[in-house]
């Protein structure tokens, strides 16, 4: 199969390129190697893969692209903070670039599947919480006065009891809270009405794995915690550190993408997540064990407006699609961060 992977030089994209190339597919990787994500060309680029260095907004495909049979569209300018500071750039890159790709894709006669990589960020605060005491359900919204008083859990409107989060499903209405999430949802909308070939949209929860940059200012919280602990610095955690996050291992993402390319019955939309919540405190403990560090997190309290108390995905459809349960964080983290532990040991020896 001839596959175009946009964003093929990035964290997730490079793993997709590896998997497809290693199994014998003809892979073309398109990436702008944007300096906001890459300080230099990554060392993991392959000599047996053609890399097209271009921004999708300005890309003009050559004749070699016309006979691609599948597209994995990962290219996006990431980061909530960056999107807030550079909305025109991020929206132009993510939405304008996707629209341009879709325009070209309509002309490719052998195209059989597009897999678009979307994000849980499109859901915003549309998580549902259920009261532990009376079973009443309510939204994820928390009152500012409760947060200021150190009451961080979502509380029941009916009886005042604490609520737990229900796993979010693809049926939840997209309602992004910020520019990056909005740009990812608009990428999905760019493919509305596209009938040239089947489309699969994969909405990813936060992804971790080898090649995840730990020193990136736009890094996810798990990458930042790993980077801090690796360097011997105590992570600072807002609220009480018991916030749950659903992290998905990059190998599960790659397998889901690969199966979506191969299977005629691939779903139109699928959440890619572990289906299990890990608290920030638990994650710090797991990471400290991996790095053989006694660095402990500092719970600083306070809160950031707009932060979700708990985030959790429904992994049942993904489990059925993969034929197994996704990897849990405590099992995937030692595999994901082992390479950065070796980096740490080399750095210490070189001092």
């Amino acid at each position: 199969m001839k596959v175009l992977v946009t964003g093929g030089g990035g964290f997730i994209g490079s793993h997709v390129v590896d998997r497809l190339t290693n199994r014998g597919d003809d892979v073309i990787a398109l990436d702008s190697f944007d300096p906001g994500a890459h300080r230099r060309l990554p060392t993991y680029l392959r000599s047996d893969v053609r890399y097209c260095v271009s921004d999708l907004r300005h890309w003009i495909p050559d004749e070699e692209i016309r006979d691609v049979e599948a597209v994995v569209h990962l290219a996006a300018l990431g980061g909530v903070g960056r999107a807030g500071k550079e909305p025109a750039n991020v929206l132009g890159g993510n939405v304008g670039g996707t629209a341009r790709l879709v325009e070209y894709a309509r002309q490719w006669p052998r195209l059989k599947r597009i897999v678009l990589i979307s994000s849980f960020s499109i859901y915003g605060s549309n998580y549902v919480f259920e009261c532990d005491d009376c079973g009443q359900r309510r939204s994820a919204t928390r009152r500012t006065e409760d947060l200021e008083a150190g009451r961080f859990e979502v509380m029941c409107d009916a009886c005042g009891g604490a609520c737990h989060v229900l796993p979010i499903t693809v049926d939840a209405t997209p309602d992004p809270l910020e520019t990056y999430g909005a740009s990812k949802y608009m990428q999905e909308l760019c493919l509305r009405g596209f009938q040239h070939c089947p489309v699969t949209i994969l909405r990813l929860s936060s992804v971790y794995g080898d090649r995840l940059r730990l020193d990136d200012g736009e890094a996810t919280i798990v990458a930042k915690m790993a980077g801090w602990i690796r360097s011997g610095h105590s992570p600072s955690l807002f609220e009480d550190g018991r916030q749950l996050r659903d992290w998905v291992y990059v190998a599960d993402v790659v397998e889901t993408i690969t199966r979506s390319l191969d299977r005629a019955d691939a779903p139109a939309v699928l959440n890619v997540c572990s289906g299990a919540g890990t608290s920030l405190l638990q994650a710090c403990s797991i990471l400290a064990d991996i790095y053989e560090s006694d660095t402990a997190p500092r719970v600083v309290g306070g809160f950031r407006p707009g932060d979700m108390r708990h985030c959790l995905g429904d992994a049942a459809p993904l489990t059925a699609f993969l034929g197994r349960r996704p990897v849990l964080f405590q099992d995937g983290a030692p595999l994901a961060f082992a390479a950065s532990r070796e980096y740490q040991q080399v750095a210490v020896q070189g001092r």
Side-chain angles (χ1 to χ4, degrees), residues 236-247:
S236 297
L237 306 181
F238 287 108
E239 300 188 14
D240 57 4
R242 293 185 172 86
Q243 308 96 302
L244 297 179
R245 295 295 181 262
D246 185 338
W247 291 302

Side-chain angles (χ1 to χ4, degrees), residues 56 58-61 99-108:
L56 265 176
H58 314 298
W59 177 57
I60 299 177
R100 190 176 181 86
L101 176 66
V102 171
E103 184 175 328
Y104 284 128
R106 296 180 191 277
Q107 306 169 27
W108 297 336

Side-chain angles (χ1 to χ4, degrees), residues 194-277:
F194 183 84
Q195 298 181 353
H196 184 62
C197 70
V199 173
T200 291
I201 296 172
L202 302 180
R203 294 172 178 166
L204 312 187
S205 63
S206 189
V207 185
Y208 67 96
D210 181 27
R211 302 175 187 168
L212 179 64
R213 283 181 53 187
L214 308 186
D215 56 352
D216 186 350
E218 294 295 347
T220 59
I221 183 59
V222 69
K224 288 181 178 179
M225 291 189 303
W228 288 327
I229 293 172
R230 184 186 71 179
S231 302
H233 301 299
S234 295
S236 297
L237 306 181
F238 287 108
E239 300 188 14
D240 57 4
R242 293 185 172 86
Q243 308 96 302
L244 297 179
R245 295 295 181 262
D246 185 338
W247 291 302
V248 62
Y249 186 39
V250 68
D252 283 343
V253 175
V254 173
E255 184 173 348
T256 306
I257 291 171
T258 305
R259 288 183 179 237
S260 297
L261 294 174
D262 294 343
R263 289 177 50 171
D265 63 344
V269 185
L270 185 65
N271 281 344
V272 184
C273 54
S274 74

Side-chain angles (χ1 to χ4, degrees), residues 152-153 237-245 278-282 299 309-310:
F152 300 120
E153 295 293 348
L237 306 181
F238 287 108
E239 300 188 14
D240 57 4
R242 293 185 172 86
Q243 308 96 302
L244 297 179
R245 295 295 181 262
T278 303
S279 75
L280 301 189
L281 286 171
Q282 289 172 325
V299 177
R309 175 56 178 174
H310 304 304

Side-chain angles (χ1 to χ4, degrees), residues 84-348:
K85 292 180 288 188
E86 306 173 24
N89 185 31
V90 170
L91 287 169
N94 295 358
V95 185
T98 300
R100 190 176 181 86
L101 176 66
V102 171
E103 184 175 328
Y104 284 128
R106 296 180 191 277
Q107 306 169 27
W108 297 336
R110 298 183 62 189
L111 191 62
K112 299 175 183 176
R113 172 80 61 178
I114 292 178
V115 179
L116 170 67
I117 308 305
S118 187
S119 166
F120 266 39
S121 63
I122 72 161
Y123 294 126
S125 60
N126 268 354
Y127 289 83
V128 175
F129 283 71
E130 184 175 88
C131 179
D132 297 333
D133 296 328
C134 71
Q136 181 87 7
R137 293 187 175 184
R138 54 152 299 173
S139 71
T141 305
R142 295 182 287 176
R143 299 185 306 175
T144 301
E145 53 265 37
D146 286 335
L147 295 171
E148 290 175 341
R151 296 187 292 271
F152 300 120
E153 295 293 348
V154 175
M155 307 305 292
C156 178
D157 293 325
C159 72
C163 300
H164 63 274
V165 65
L166 300 179
I168 200 162
T169 71
V170 296
D171 295 326
T173 303
D175 188 19
L177 295 172
E178 32 68 34
T179 303
Y180 173 71
S183 76
K184 295 302 292 182
Y185 184 41
M186 284 187 274
Q187 283 188 316
E188 295 188 13
L189 295 178
C190 285
L191 282 157
R192 288 281 178 93
F194 183 84
Q195 298 181 353
H196 184 62
C197 70
V199 173
T200 291
I201 296 172
L202 302 180
R203 294 172 178 166
L204 312 187
S205 63
S206 189
V207 185
Y208 67 96
D210 181 27
R211 302 175 187 168
L212 179 64
R213 283 181 53 187
L214 308 186
D215 56 352
D216 186 350
E218 294 295 347
T220 59
I221 183 59
V222 69
K224 288 181 178 179
M225 291 189 303
W228 288 327
I229 293 172
R230 184 186 71 179
S231 302
H233 301 299
S234 295
S236 297
L237 306 181
F238 287 108
E239 300 188 14
D240 57 4
R242 293 185 172 86
Q243 308 96 302
L244 297 179
R245 295 295 181 262
D246 185 338
W247 291 302
V248 62
Y249 186 39
V250 68
D252 283 343
V253 175
V254 173
E255 184 173 348
T256 306
I257 291 171
T258 305
R259 288 183 179 237
S260 297
L261 294 174
D262 294 343
R263 289 177 50 171
D265 63 344
V269 185
L270 185 65
N271 281 344
V272 184
C273 54
S274 74
T278 303
S279 75
L280 301 189
L281 286 171
Q282 289 172 325
C284 285
S285 177
I286 292 168
L287 291 168
D289 288 342
I290 292 168
Y291 292 120
E292 299 177 355
S293 170
D294 58 1
T295 302
R298 294 185 302 112
V299 177
V300 298
F303 64 95
R304 296 188 304 179
D307 270 2
M308 296 297 99
R309 175 56 178 174
H310 304 304
C311 300
L312 183 65
D314 176 14
L318 177 64
T319 298
F321 187 60
L322 295 180
R324 60 168 177 81
R325 289 188 58 185
V327 176
L328 300 178
F329 183 74
Q330 61 263 35
D331 299 321
L335 304 173
F337 298 106
S340 60
R341 182 165 74 90
E342 293 168 5
Y343 163 86
Q344 178 195 36
Q345 291 170 344
V346 171
V348 169

